[in-house]
Amino acid sequence: MSPRDPRAGVTAVILAAGEGKRMKSSDPKVLHEMCGRPLLDFVVQAALQAGADDAIVVVGHGRDEVTAHLTAAFGDQARTTVQSEQQGTGHAVQCALPSLSGDAQAVLLLYGDTPLVQADDLRALIAARNDGDHELGMLTCQLTDPTGYGRIVRDESGAIVAVREQRDASDAERAIDEVNPGMMVARIDFLSEALATLRPDNDQGELYLTDIVAAAAARGTVASQPAAAATLAGVNDRAQLAAAEASMFNVIADGLRKGGATIRQGARIDAGVQVERDATIEHGVVLRGATCIGPGARIDVGCVLENVSVASGAYLKPYSVCTDSTIGENARVGPFSHLRPNSQLDAEVHVGNFVETKQTHLRRGAKANHLAYLGDGDIGEQANVGAGTIFCNYDGFQKHRTVLGRGAFIGSDSQTVAPVTIGDGAYVATGTTVTRDVPADGLAISRVRQDNKEGYAPRLKARLKAAAARAKAAAKDKPPSDQ
Ligand code: UD1
Ligand code: CA
């Protein structure tokens, strides 16, 4: 980054120490998830994308959990500093000041509970403050219902002079529909001086960060940068969380549509999921975690995928549930298939209805088209697994593997008692319980030989009919029971 880049020397300070009382939760508010990721992640990510050199997150309530999460999600790109008592948003920034690096020229001040914030808006904000070297820059927006937000007070010339919190505002100030969404950028020398002058003379007896706006106006100038209300909403309760999430699902889907994927209304695609060109995601589909859908793949109605990689041209028929698995090119899965963790389906594999797999590798072209349990298996290329096959993988203590060779054929209603290996090209007759290895090209058959008795059926039926009549007569003669 060149020294003239307006973003150079910007450190983000993100406030996340509050309890979030209005969530009525034992978890810290900023760890509540939206589209599969904690609220806080969206803010940290927007700040880094906007060009912040690093992010300092002020933690307090649930600090261990929040810190552990940040380390896992962002490594050394996000640092934390502790605010042990929550004495207000201004106090929270005071706690972060000693952690700022000497290179920081400006501080991007954000709240951890505004997850819809866009990197583009933050870039524009940073540039607006920079042009003219204002003490402070802030995003502003107009709301039809400004309830709950700090109102922006301007003088006759239109210059911002203060932010007034709703609970401290006069009736006239409450009527103002321009609000403070809570994203500001301040020159560092101004910020440290202004923070030192904060007083808790407000309804909550807290140090309000928003009071630095009046300090900036008194000392110099405040740049304001308008932004769309939809991207600035704060999440204070679960209804606002639901609304923010609905809005983010639309943002994610629209982003993927712009990239050439067809995303039907009603699909729920979490943040971070990839969907390539010409893939189709039908309604009611849920895609979570590190899921990646390849070009031209089709995920039909009601499928739920978590951490699944689907290669190009694959087709998942309705209501298939897949977790931690990979599905190869042009494979067919479902309807109603269940791929449990570590299922690996190579190209052209077919897995049909009511087939459950777990820790099983189906090699190229293998097929298991109807109701089967395939746990801990390795299924060779072009092998065919018949309906009703069960890999008996568990002896009550340990899991064991079933290995099927290339082109092996397992007749319907068979069981393989693992550990067992069935060789290349071998054939397991329908209804066989395989307890010993089958050599390549061998036939395993374990069912009882069939016996046909000529003319026996009418005699059998007569006998059964007479027995039924006797039972009915006996029931009639019996005195009624007292129950
Ligand atoms: C705040 C703003 C308000 C703005 C609104 C936008 C203040 C005083 N008010 O109100 O002008 O319109 O956000 O959404 O800043 N936090 C701490 N330490 C504290 C207190 C809060 O870290 O001591 C954190 C919270 O965890 C939260 C954020 O700061 O992530 C905002 O606090 P919150 O109580 O939600 O402020 P609002 O009432 O929403
Ligand atoms: Ca808030």
Side-chain angles (χ1 to χ4, degrees):
M1 200 175 282
S2 86
R4 294 176 60 83
D5 189 314
R7 289 174 285 156
V10 176
T11 294
V13 170
I14 299 166
L15 307 191
E19 179 182 357
K21 287 194 192 70
R22 291 165 275 185
M23 295 297 278
K24 304 217 162 58
S25 173
S26 45
D27 300 322
K29 174 166 73 175
V30 291
L31 291 189
H32 277 258
E33 287 192 359
M34 178 177 98
C35 304
R37 293 197 74 176
L39 296 177
L40 182 57
D41 286 21
F42 292 89
V43 183
V44 175
Q45 205 167 337
L48 295 172
Q49 276 172 5
D53 298 327
D54 67 341
I56 299 171
V57 179
V58 182
V59 295
H61 273 280
R63 73 186 76 152
D64 295 339
E65 280 166 271
V66 178
T67 304
H69 167 71
L70 283 169
T71 310
F74 293 98
D76 57 9
Q77 281 190 293
R79 300 182 279 142
T80 55
T81 189
V82 175
Q83 180 195 27
S84 15
E85 259 181 81
Q86 282 65 60
Q87 298 170 34
T89 49
H91 176 250
V93 180
Q94 284 176 351
C95 295
L97 273 184
S99 308
L100 288 173
S101 84
D103 298 340
Q105 286 153 35
V107 182
L108 180 61
L109 299 159
L110 303 172
Y111 297 150
D113 67 351
T114 54
L116 299 174
V117 62
Q118 297 288 300
D120 282 347
D121 286 332
L122 298 181
R123 264 186 223 110
L125 168 65
I126 292 166
R129 190 212 66 86
N130 228 58
D131 288 351
D133 196 21
H134 303 281
E135 271 67 22
L136 187 73
M138 62 191 297
L139 290 184
T140 68
C141 71
Q142 225 99 22
L143 292 182
T144 40
D145 178 13
T147 311
Y149 289 90
R151 309 298 205 282
I152 292 181
V153 184
R154 293 182 183 262
D155 66 13
E156 317 76 63
S157 75
I160 294 179
V161 292
V163 166
R164 193 84 65 234
E165 291 307 303
Q166 157 127 355
R167 55 205 310 162
D168 304 305
S170 65
D171 286 347
E173 285 166 337
R174 282 187 190 192
I176 299 171
D177 65 356
E178 191 186 18
V179 304
N180 163 40
M183 298 93 190
M184 304 196 277
V185 61
R187 213 173 52 218
I188 190 143
D189 55 346
F190 158 72
L191 181 67
S192 33
E193 280 178 41
L195 287 174
T197 66
L198 295 181
R199 297 283 169 268
D201 44 14
N202 51 58
D203 186 56
Q204 296 198 92
E206 292 185 347
L207 298 182
Y208 283 171
L209 177 61
T210 42
D211 286 347
I212 68 171
V213 177
R219 176 174 152 160
T221 48
V222 178
S224 68
Q225 175 69 26
T231 64
L232 303 172
V235 171
N236 295 316
D237 59 34
R238 294 188 196 237
Q240 288 172 334
L241 173 61
E245 185 171 54
S247 159
M248 182 54 76
F249 275 130
N250 281 332
V251 169
I252 293 168
D254 278 344
L256 295 169
R257 288 174 183 129
K258 286 196 182 101
T262 295
I263 313 291
R264 306 270 187 230
Q265 281 301 346
R268 292 194 143 215
I269 304 178
D270 278 356
V273 168
Q274 284 180 48
V275 182
E276 305 285 341
R277 282 168 80 108
D278 290 321
T280 300
I281 311 299
E282 293 291 348
H283 75 265
V285 167
V286 176
L287 302 181
R288 297 180 176 142
T291 292
C292 173
I293 309 298
R298 179 163 178 217
I299 314 299
D300 217 329
V301 177
C303 288
V304 179
L305 274 57
E306 182 162 353
N307 304 325
V308 176
S309 155
V310 178
S312 65
Y315 178 22
L316 273 65
K317 296 178 196 172
Y319 302 107
S320 295
V321 176
C322 311
T323 310
D324 299 325
S325 293
T326 60
I327 296 170
E329 277 178 31
N330 302 316
R332 297 275 176 279
V333 172
F336 302 104
S337 299
H338 186 191
L339 306 190
R340 291 170 50 211
N342 299 320
S343 296
Q344 184 184 343
L345 278 53
D346 290 352
E348 320 282 346
V349 160
H350 291 186
V351 165
N353 40 200
F354 309 112
V355 172
E356 173 183 348
T357 63
K358 185 222 69 177
Q359 201 102 33
T360 286
H361 185 179
L362 286 101
R363 294 174 192 265
R364 192 183 189 94
K367 292 184 178 59
N369 275 326
H370 325 272
L371 38 136
Y373 173 59
L374 310 176
D376 299 291
D378 188 334
I379 300 177
E381 284 186 23
Q382 305 296 336
N384 193 309
V385 177
T389 297
I390 293 176
F391 286 3
C392 308
N393 60 328
Y394 187 47
D395 60 16
F397 299 94
Q398 283 190 81
K399 302 284 169 63
H400 303 282
R401 293 186 71 73
T402 293
V403 178
L404 304 190
R406 189 188 158 86
F409 183 95
I410 311 298
S412 300
D413 193 27
S414 294
Q415 306 89 47
T416 62
V417 182
V420 74
T421 298
I422 295 164
D424 289 354
Y427 197 104
V428 171
T430 292
T432 292
T433 301
V434 181
T435 53
R436 284 182 292 130
D437 288 356
V438 182
D441 294 324
L443 167 72
I445 180 164
S446 72
R447 61 187 184 231
V448 175
R449 197 170 284 276
Q450 184 172 332
D451 185 12
N452 286 347
K453 296 181 192 296
E454 294 273 342
Y456 194 95
R459 295 202 311 266
L460 176 64
K461 285 181 194 163
R463 214 165 69 212
L464 296 174
K465 193 174 172 187
R470 277 196 306 277
K472 201 170 170 187
K476 223 175 173 183
D477 293 346
K478 225 168 110 186
S481 82
D482 34 302
Q483 283 178 357

